[in-house]
């Protein structure tokens, strides 16, 4: 597993979250000033310098529930509020969209272009805020510095780590089903057409060489697809043509998007029981969350400006029905952790969490994420 995967996972999922929230804010006719404030506050928190410093440290990926807790915190960094069912749907859409992008990346290195597409769109949300724009551009430079010199093999390991993280997530998304890029069982359809990866040739020809390296024979074969040569390589510069469209905003048109549990996902064993053995990394996960959330600058609403609730569903009735029908094992609770910028409080939080011990006795929970949430509830 690659220890350089977490920043790419977080930034791409965060980009998808912003796309979805922007679409729902427009669909619910939230006033423009409030919508901008929500996006600006979330982006400012997401790209906070101390938060990013923790994120970019080489480290293994943690459980889905641990990361989900961070996104719960991030989504509520402004005056907007989401209830449980809407937050569940938001996270489902985020994960399935990025999984689709990782699967379709022509080259493992192109996951970096997908990330840049997300950052380009995020910069579009904050054009009228130079301070936040500077934060995003600094992270762009850090990405270039961290990943620009990695080999093809290292990017392949990053892609493998991402696919392992998304393994067994087969949630059906109405938009993907309508566009026929997802089957009814929640699995994605891999295309057999379009441009081949940059630097490679269109399949259909086998060349044979002798011991001296001289070509002695050519054999053609039918590959069954409709491939073309890639026109050019996408730009890895701060501003440039990425060429690759994966990671751009698929919600730019007002299209309703629903999520549904597939038959395979209704079998909760692969999805929720990540490991039935006692989890020796639970303490590390808790420290990971403490460090990340300690770096978040959550801006409390100032003045008389009231908050508002955002619904990821078309109607309140659909949202209530989703909350009632969603399996309890797949629901996540919002964890409230007091992690302000006060250094003394952060150190105290880290000290308390560091003193927690993981016993050898098996817990009743089936995953390390459950262990993590149970320990947090006990704080």
């Amino acid at each position: 597993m690659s220890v350089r995967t977490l920043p790419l996972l977080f930034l791409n999922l965060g980009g998808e979250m912003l796309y979805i929230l922007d679409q729902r804010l427009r669909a619910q006719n939230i006033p423009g000033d409030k919508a901008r404030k929500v996006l600006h506050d979330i982006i400012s928190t997401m790209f906070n310098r101390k938060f990013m410093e923790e994120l970019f440290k080489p480290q293994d990926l943690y459980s889905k529930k641990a990361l989900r807790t961070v996104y719960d915190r991030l989504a509520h960094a402004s005056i907007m509020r989401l209830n449980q069912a809407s937050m569940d749907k938001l996270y489902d859409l985020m994960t399935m969209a990025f999984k689709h992008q990782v699967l379709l990346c022509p080259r493992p290195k192109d996951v970096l272009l997908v990330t840049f597409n997300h950052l380009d769109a995020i910069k579009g949300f904050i054009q009228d805020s130079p301070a936040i724009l500077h934060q995003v551009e600094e992270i762009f430079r850090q990405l270039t510095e961290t990943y620009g010199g990695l080999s093809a093999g290292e990017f392949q390991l990053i892609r493998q780590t991402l696919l392992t993280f998304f393994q067994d997530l087969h949630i059906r998304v109405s938009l993907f089903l309508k566009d026929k890029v997802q089957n009814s069982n929640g699995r994605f359809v891999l295309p057999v057409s379009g441009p081949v990866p940059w630097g490679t040739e269109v399949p259909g020809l086998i060349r044979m060489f002798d011991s001296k390296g001289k070509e002695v024979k050519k054999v053609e074969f039918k590959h069954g697809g409709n491939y073309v040569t890639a026109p050019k390589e996408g730009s890895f510069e701060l501003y440039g043509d990425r060429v690759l469209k994966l990671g751009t905003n698929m919600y730019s048109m007002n299209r309703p998007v629903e999520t549904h549990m597939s038959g395979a996902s209704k079998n909760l064993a692969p999805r929720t029981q990540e490991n039935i053995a006692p989890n020796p990394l639970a303490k590390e996960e808790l420290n990971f969350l403490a460090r990340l959330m300690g770096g978040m600058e959550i801006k409390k609403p100032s003045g008389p400006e009231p908050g508002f609730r955002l619904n990821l569903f078309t109607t309140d009735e659909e949202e209530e029905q989703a909350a009632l029908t969603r399996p309890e094992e797949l629901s996540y609770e919002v964890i409230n952790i007091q992690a302000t910028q006060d250094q003394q409080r952060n150190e105290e939080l880290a000290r308390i969490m560091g003193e927690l011990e993981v016993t050898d006795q098996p817990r009743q929970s089936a995953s390390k994420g459950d262990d993590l949430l149970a320990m947090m509830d006990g704080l």
Side-chain angles (χ1 to χ4, degrees):
M1 295 297 170
S2 172
V3 295
R4 291 292 186 186
T5 307
L6 184 59
L8 298 178
L9 176 62
F10 177 82
L11 291 171
N12 284 287
L13 287 179
E16 289 299 321
M17 181 177 76
L18 291 166
Y19 290 165
I20 298 163
L21 293 179
D22 173 63
Q23 189 271 341
R24 292 311 302 164
L25 288 166
R26 287 185 282 109
Q28 290 188 213
N29 297 316
I30 302 299
D33 57 339
K34 281 191 174 183
R36 277 193 301 276
K37 176 175 173 54
V38 168
L39 295 180
H40 284 201
D41 286 351
I42 291 176
I43 294 170
S44 178
T45 302
M46 180 177 170
F47 289 90
N48 174 264
R49 182 177 60 82
K50 290 186 178 180
F51 179 73
M52 283 292 151
E53 284 176 358
E54 291 295 338
L55 194 73
F56 271 83
K57 292 178 180 177
Q59 55 194 298
D60 291 330
L61 290 185
Y62 290 88
S63 71
K64 298 176 183 67
K65 285 192 175 182
L67 284 178
R68 163 63 191 271
T69 303
V70 176
Y71 285 108
D72 276 328
R73 179 86 170 177
L74 187 60
H76 293 90
S78 187
I79 57 176
M80 178 194 69
R81 293 295 174 263
L82 298 170
N83 73 11
Q84 187 64 60
S86 284
M87 189 65 215
D88 284 341
K89 180 179 178 181
L90 173 63
Y91 193 70
D92 285 346
L93 288 172
M94 291 159 51
T95 53
M96 293 307 292
F98 185 44
K99 177 181 180 179
H100 180 238
Q101 293 157 15
V102 174
L103 283 171
L104 265 59
C105 274
R107 302 176 301 172
K109 185 179 180 179
D110 287 338
V111 72
L112 193 55
L113 289 177
V114 174
T115 309
F116 290 168
N117 274 337
H118 281 115
L119 292 186
D120 289 343
I122 290 172
K123 286 189 289 185
F125 290 138
I126 51 173
Q127 284 298 327
D128 56 344
S129 179
I132 307 177
L133 186 61
H134 176 71
Q135 287 180 263
V136 178
E137 290 181 346
E138 281 299 312
I139 296 308
F140 188 103
R141 294 185 183 94
Q142 192 167 352
L143 282 169
T144 303
E145 180 181 329
T146 304
Y147 297 94
L150 296 187
S151 66
E154 288 172 307
F155 274 110
Q156 173 61 13
L157 188 58
I158 287 173
R159 184 176 183 272
Q160 264 187 320
T161 305
L162 287 170
L163 291 176
T164 301
F165 179 83
F166 290 123
Q167 191 174 6
D168 298 323
L169 287 179
H170 306 297
I171 301 166
R172 293 176 295 164
V173 177
S174 62
L175 192 150
F176 291 146
L177 293 169
K178 183 177 180 181
D179 292 344
K180 300 187 184 303
V181 299
Q182 191 179 31
N183 291 324
S184 58
N185 61 1
R187 296 181 183 274
F188 287 111
V189 178
L190 299 182
V192 289
S193 62
V196 296
W198 172 254
T200 63
E201 298 179 7
V202 174
L205 181 66
I206 300 174
R207 294 186 177 93
M208 300 180 188
F209 300 84
D210 60 17
S211 59
K212 296 180 180 180
K214 182 180 178 181
E215 185 177 308
V216 294
K217 186 178 180 182
K218 290 183 179 179
V219 178
E220 293 185 356
F221 67 92
K222 292 184 178 181
H223 51 70
N226 184 24
Y227 298 104
V228 295
T229 305
K232 61 179 180 178
E233 185 179 22
S235 171
F236 291 89
E237 301 299 323
L238 179 59
Y239 295 97
D241 182 8
R242 312 300 177 198
V243 179
L244 195 69
K245 299 304 179 186
L246 298 173
T248 54
N249 191 351
M250 65 178 179
Y251 308 98
S252 53
M253 294 185 296
N254 198 354
R255 304 167 68 182
V257 183
E258 297 296 332
T259 56
H260 312 277
M261 295 297 294
S262 69
S265 294
K266 288 177 182 176
N267 180 2
L268 300 178
R271 175 156 178 172
T272 61
Q273 294 183 3
E274 296 178 12
N275 186 359
I276 60 174
N279 174 27
L281 294 178
K283 179 178 168 183
E284 286 302 316
E285 284 194 350
L286 201 57
N287 289 334
F288 161 74
L289 281 178
R291 290 194 303 271
L292 281 186
M293 292 183 175
M296 280 187 177
E297 283 186 340
I298 304 297
K299 299 178 180 179
K300 295 183 179 180
S302 58
E305 186 173 13
F308 65 93
R309 184 174 67 87
L310 190 70
N311 187 351
L312 267 287
F313 295 83
T314 307
T315 64
D316 289 345
E317 289 73 18
E318 287 184 17
E319 187 179 49
E320 292 170 2
Q321 183 63 26
L324 292 174
T325 57
R326 190 166 181 83
E328 183 179 353
E329 292 87 346
L330 300 184
S331 294
Y332 304 82
E333 294 182 3
V334 177
I335 306 301
N336 294 317
I337 297 180
Q338 181 63 32
T340 66
Q341 283 302 103
D342 185 291
Q343 183 177 1
Q344 184 176 357
R345 290 186 179 182
N346 284 339
E347 291 174 352
E348 180 67 7
L349 177 62
R351 183 188 66 78
I352 293 173
M353 292 180 174
E355 291 175 353
L356 293 176
E357 295 183 359
V358 181
T359 65
D360 292 331
Q361 295 299 321
R363 295 180 183 270
Q364 293 181 349
S365 56
S367 73
K368 59 183 182 180
D370 289 334
D371 289 338
L372 171 65
L373 296 181
M375 292 172 71
M376 285 182 170
D377 287 339
L379 292 180

